[in-house]
Amino acid sequence: MKFADEFRDRDKAAALVREIEKLCDGIETTRHRPLNIMEVCGGHTHSIFRYGLEGMLPPAIELVHGPGCPVCVLPMGRVDDCVAIAEQPGVIFTTFGDAMRVLGSRKSLMQAKADGADVRMVYSPMDALALARKNPGREVVFFGLGFETTMPSTALTVLQAEADGIENFSVFCNHITIVPTIKAILDSPDLHLDGFLGPGHVSMVIGTAPYEFIASFYRRPMVVAGFEPLDVLQSIWMILKQISEGRAEIENQYTRIVPKAGNDPALAAVAKVYELREFFEWRGLGSIDHSGVRVRDEYARFDAERKFSVPNIKIADPKSCQCGEVLKGVLKPWQCKVFGTLCTPETPLGALMVSPEGACAAYYQYGGVKRQAHNEAATAVS
Amino acid sequence: MNIMSPPPRKLGRIHVPAVTLAHGGGGKAMKDLIDDVFVSAFATDTPRALEDQARFDLAALAAHGDRLAFTTDSFVVDPLFFPGGDIGKLAVFGTVNDLAVGGAKPLYLSCAVVIEEGLKIEELRRVAQSMAAAARRAGVTIVTGDTKVVQRGACDKLFITTTGVGVIPAGVELAIGGIRPGDGILVNGLLGDHGAAILAARGDLALETEIESDCAPLHGLIDAVLKAAPATRTIRDATRGGIATVLNEMAEASGVAIEIDEAATPLREEVRGFCEILGLDPLYLANEGKIVLAVPPAEIQAALAAMRAHPLGACAMLVGHAHAGEQGRVTIQTAFGGKRIVDMLVGEQLPRIC
């Protein structure tokens, strides 16, 4: 497969791993504890598991799976709101596939569909707009979800709906922003991170400048990374290189996609349609200031939150759920007290078990290899 | 088949363009539909009055082997017609293959259909004729059936259930619990074609591909493998859930671990690309003409050679081995050099958000 296989070369991977091991050996910290590197984005978590990267890295590197899976961090109350909208008569509720399984306090969208709600999986908000065009007598709602990666496409769809005079289309906006969340994680007292793999797709939209504070204020290196396995390995190597040279900078490994200044037309569309919310609730992490956006007043008629009455009730995460600690990297997924027992992909209690990008689901599905080695080592020591 | 044949009879004809509830009413309309669409397609000799059941001569069955194999499967597929096949072909080959993977010679099928009112007679006829052609190709006879018509919305166009009867020759002992450490895990060709073809044919992905379903009857291939590698432990067809699901079932039933090698897993470039775009894992995509075999070390090469000599096994590969690791665990050595677990899917694969 052209333009993909080149980034999955086994020999280059082995060579990079050797270079990573060499750098690790020269870093003083690794004599006392492993280096904690957080991949912010769920897409990276997925690549790490899919290609078995954790098992290839030396034990001196711990990958901490961050909060960048938008499906995972969606609070239960918002899912309840989705279900409430979907269950209103005449509504066609459209969503990306992996949001179908997330449980609200009553049910998931998949269950709502089974109970008779018209819930449809689409691949793009434009598909939802096309549905609205085809069904003028129905209200078509698109479940707007995701970071800056998906924000421009919903913004542009709203602008298109306005231009075409389509009145039976709206977005239920749950878009979130990554930068305040990284800041909240860095401010968390129970956490020690040595570096970040920066989110490639988000950065394609926002550029690399918004991360500067991570280097200048918090003195942590970040490398914006691509999603192929060699991208991830090279980015880890770049982080280690910074640490070994005592640097903390924002570097861009994913130059074939990410421009330093971001994507102007995309940012303009986002700024036109959305504005920052004062705060947004994250599953597992609680409320974070300025971490979500809502539809501006000028486009209120395309805002499902205004168009439909939703319960808008805050539902507390289940008490036994330790997603917050896992999201911040304080706990490894399998160290959570309900992992694999009360909380499985079939009956996800915590958000991280829901989407295949969620760290817990990924461990459950793909992960055990490193965990197995970890457990065997622990047994050998005791 | 029928021991006492009643006299020949004239078949009824249907004169309307679409199926209505009248065709399920048990009267003349139903008889005409059955005659015109199904009996005329399935009959292998002069049509005669129908009994309520097919009847088999036991001695004739016993000539094929010493055990009866019996299986059933329901087929619901959207769209009814897709590149490489249709629901009718699928309903015949699917059940033929369920018999064949047990080592049985497939002989007879039943065909029960549930039709949504409004289905065009021409579409139904195409399906019945496709079933008849598939049955001829597979060397089986469709000997009994049932027809129901339901109101619009109560089913999706057409559901078909086929039940199959076959006979297992003496000495053929395939068992899913029989895999031993060291056994080779083989497949007969390119994986995931059917699943990708169906997803693409639904049309809501706006992806154009030339991928066709691999729908095919596998008993000839299996016969050839069992002649070349008679100690073969087990064979499974990798339908819904793909080879990942079959491998997990095998590892669990036999109490072994299985490791496969991604680089040895045969995939069409188009299917790889298709999965890449949608964020799907081809190991979980359905196949309708692919088997997974566990073969003891001494016979691996013979089994491979026998498959490669058959038109349905040209791309056969040794994809991995069973070993004495954690019981029930399936892993894949990634082409990139890493390793990961291949678990059962929880539900269906859903495309990822980004």
Side-chain angles (χ1 to χ4, degrees):
Chain A
M1 206 164 18
K2 229 168 150 33
F3 308 124
D5 289 340
E6 295 87 337
F7 298 95
R8 297 174 190 176
D9 184 296
R10 191 185 190 115
D11 298 334
K12 287 201 176 77
L16 256 172
V17 168
R18 280 195 299 277
E19 291 301 313
I20 286 172
E21 282 166 352
K22 258 193 244 165
L23 278 175
C24 268
D25 287 345
I27 295 171
E28 174 66 23
T29 317
T30 62
R31 290 189 193 122
H32 323 293
R33 62 167 181 85
L35 294 168
N36 292 315
I37 297 176
M38 174 179 275
E39 85 275 5
V40 175
C41 176
H44 286 138
T45 308
H46 187 80
S47 291
I48 287 162
F49 285 103
R50 178 171 166 203
Y51 296 99
L53 300 187
E54 274 203 316
M56 297 169 74
L57 292 170
I61 296 176
E62 279 286 353
L63 293 175
V64 179
H65 314 298
C69 161
V71 174
C72 301
V73 296
L74 190 73
M76 268 194 180
R78 299 298 286 191
V79 180
D80 287 349
D81 293 347
C82 284
V83 170
I85 295 173
E87 286 181 339
Q88 297 198 21
V91 165
I92 300 175
F93 195 88
T94 57
T95 171
F96 291 131
D98 50 357
M100 298 269 287
R101 253 203 296 267
V102 196
L103 259 179
S105 67
R106 289 193 300 130
K107 53 175 109 169
S108 64
L109 283 167
M110 204 173 250
Q111 286 161 333
K113 180 176 193 298
D115 291 343
D118 192 349
V119 179
R120 304 190 195 181
M121 198 168 78
V122 292
Y123 295 85
S124 141
M126 290 303 264
D127 294 346
L129 189 61
L131 267 176
R133 231 178 250 126
K134 239 168 72 184
N135 297 276
R138 309 275 305 270
E139 275 295 332
V140 176
V141 181
F142 178 74
F143 185 11
L145 183 66
F147 290 95
E148 287 87 342
T149 318
T150 51
M151 233 183 257
S153 62
T154 55
L156 284 166
T157 309
V158 165
L159 294 175
Q160 186 73 47
E162 188 198 32
D164 296 353
I166 296 174
E167 295 293 329
N168 62 328
F169 172 80
S170 59
V171 172
F172 182 47
C173 177
N174 287 274
H175 286 300
I176 43 183
T177 62
I178 196 74
V179 171
T181 314
I182 297 178
K183 188 172 176 306
I185 285 172
L186 281 164
D187 285 335
S188 173
D190 50 359
L191 180 66
H192 194 98
L193 292 174
D194 298 287
F196 289 92
L197 285 171
H201 291 147
V202 167
S203 308
M204 157 188 88
V205 176
I206 68 172
T208 58
Y211 307 122
E212 283 301 334
F213 72 98
I214 299 171
S216 59
F217 187 78
Y218 291 95
R219 305 292 308 151
R220 297 284 190 283
M222 174 187 259
V223 175
V224 172
F227 294 87
E228 292 296 331
L230 276 182
D231 288 327
V232 176
L233 286 183
Q234 189 189 16
S235 301
I236 291 173
W237 177 84
M238 287 168 74
I239 292 172
L240 294 179
K241 188 95 177 131
Q242 288 199 39
I243 295 174
S244 69
E245 291 170 2
R247 289 183 290 126
E249 292 166 18
I250 308 303
E251 291 181 317
N252 183 7
Q253 181 273 340
Y254 204 23
T255 47
R256 64 183 188 277
I257 299 287
V258 174
K260 193 164 191 283
N263 181 326
D264 278 339
L267 288 170
V270 167
K272 198 162 180 198
V273 175
Y274 298 122
E275 63 189 358
L276 275 181
R277 293 178 196 258
E278 265 173 56
F279 56 88
F280 196 74
E281 189 72 25
W282 292 55
R283 201 154 167 170
L285 294 175
S287 174
I288 300 175
D289 288 351
H290 305 300
S291 66
V293 299
R294 66 167 164 245
V295 177
R296 285 184 187 277
D297 285 342
E298 297 91 297
Y299 297 96
R301 64 186 190 283
F302 300 106
D303 183 5
E305 231 166 313
R306 293 174 170 108
K307 212 167 186 174
F308 300 92
S309 57
V310 294
N312 201 6
I313 295 168
K314 191 180 154 189
I315 310 283
D317 293 329
K319 276 209 171 62
S320 51
C321 169
Q322 295 183 292
C323 274
E325 279 88 341
V326 176
L327 275 173
K328 288 187 286 188
V330 179
L331 285 182
K332 284 279 169 190
W334 71 84
Q335 292 167 332
C336 165
K337 39 184 196 280
V338 291
F339 177 85
T341 53
L342 286 178
C343 184
T344 66
E346 264 161 295
T347 52
L349 191 64
L352 292 175
M353 199 53 104
V354 174
S355 158
E357 288 184 8
C360 293
Y363 264 96
Y364 193 93
Q365 187 88 26
Y366 292 144
V369 181
K370 179 147 185 182
R371 173 162 46 115
Q372 234 166 296
H374 196 277
N375 290 349
E376 277 160 21
T379 318
V381 169
S382 64
Chain B
M1 158 186 63
N2 286 357
I3 299 168
M4 285 186 298
S5 296
R9 68 181 177 90
K10 195 165 175 292
L11 293 182
R13 292 290 303 276
I14 193 163
H15 301 285
V16 290
V19 177
T20 65
L21 285 175
H23 293 111
K28 183 172 180 308
M30 185 171 101
K31 184 180 162 297
D32 288 346
L33 175 79
I34 293 173
D35 271 359
D36 196 2
V37 174
F38 294 107
V39 176
S40 65
F42 297 164
T44 50
D45 55 14
T46 320
R48 294 169 198 280
L50 296 173
E51 300 289 356
D52 263 351
Q53 67 290 123
R55 299 169 187 182
F56 306 113
D57 182 81
L58 287 179
L61 284 177
H64 294 291
D66 60 0
R67 281 150 300 158
L68 199 65
F70 179 56
T71 186
T72 190
D73 208 341
S74 292
F75 297 83
V76 294
V77 62
D78 172 36
L80 295 181
F81 302 89
F82 46 83
D86 58 75
I87 187 170
K89 187 176 174 187
L90 212 56
V92 171
F93 291 159
T95 293
V96 162
N97 290 344
D98 280 346
L99 292 169
V101 292
K105 177 179 171 54
L107 294 170
Y108 301 111
L109 297 189
S110 74
C111 163
V113 295
V114 177
I115 307 166
E116 184 186 22
E117 67 174 324
L119 183 72
K120 298 273 175 293
I121 298 289
E122 272 325 298
E123 284 194 59
L124 192 60
R125 198 187 299 283
R126 265 176 77 197
V127 170
Q129 283 165 355
S130 167
M131 289 186 81
R136 278 195 299 278
R137 181 171 160 202
V140 296
T141 318
I142 300 170
V143 290
T144 187
D146 181 54
T147 307
K148 295 279 186 302
V149 180
V150 296
Q151 291 192 33
R152 193 174 275 274
C155 92
D156 185 10
K157 297 186 279 293
L158 178 63
F159 296 164
I160 302 180
T161 299
T162 50
T163 297
V165 171
V167 177
I168 304 174
V172 172
E173 299 287 349
L174 297 168
I176 192 163
I179 305 168
R180 299 285 164 266
D183 286 355
I185 304 296
L186 285 64
V187 299
N188 65 313
L190 301 163
L191 300 171
D193 288 4
H194 178 74
I198 295 290
L199 275 176
R202 285 195 190 143
D204 47 7
L205 303 176
L207 281 176
E208 280 179 28
T209 81
E210 291 180 359
I211 305 169
E212 288 197 354
S213 167
D214 57 345
C215 186
L218 297 167
H219 56 294
L221 173 82
I222 290 171
D223 202 35
V225 172
L226 291 179
K227 282 202 173 74
T232 295
R233 313 279 195 198
T234 185
I235 305 177
R236 280 284 164 113
D237 52 343
T239 52
R240 216 171 6 168
I243 72 156
T245 303
V246 170
L247 293 173
N248 273 284
E249 287 167 358
M250 285 179 165
E252 192 184 334
S254 293
V256 293
I258 292 176
E259 179 148 309
I260 60 169
D261 179 1
E262 191 179 17
T265 309
L267 279 181
R268 202 179 290 282
E269 273 302 289
E270 293 93 316
V271 172
R272 278 186 72 201
F274 184 84
C275 287
E276 196 70 33
I277 288 171
L278 296 176
L280 301 175
D281 186 338
L283 295 178
Y284 296 94
L285 282 186
N287 307 274
E288 287 294 339
K290 293 299 161 338
I291 44 175
V292 182
L293 309 86
V295 180
E299 294 189 350
I300 292 173
Q301 288 313 319
L304 266 184
M307 283 200 284
R308 287 178 180 162
H310 192 278
L312 294 174
C315 298
M317 288 290 281
L318 170 66
V319 294
H321 286 90
H323 63 94
E326 189 186 340
Q327 293 190 1
R329 177 64 84 204
V330 179
T331 49
I332 186 166
Q333 189 71 46
T334 69
F336 190 65
K339 187 169 160 176
R340 68 173 158 89
I341 289 172
V342 180
D343 208 342
M344 288 270 219
L345 268 192
V346 175
E348 57 176 333
Q349 285 202 90
L350 297 175
R352 294 187 301 121
I353 170 170
C354 58

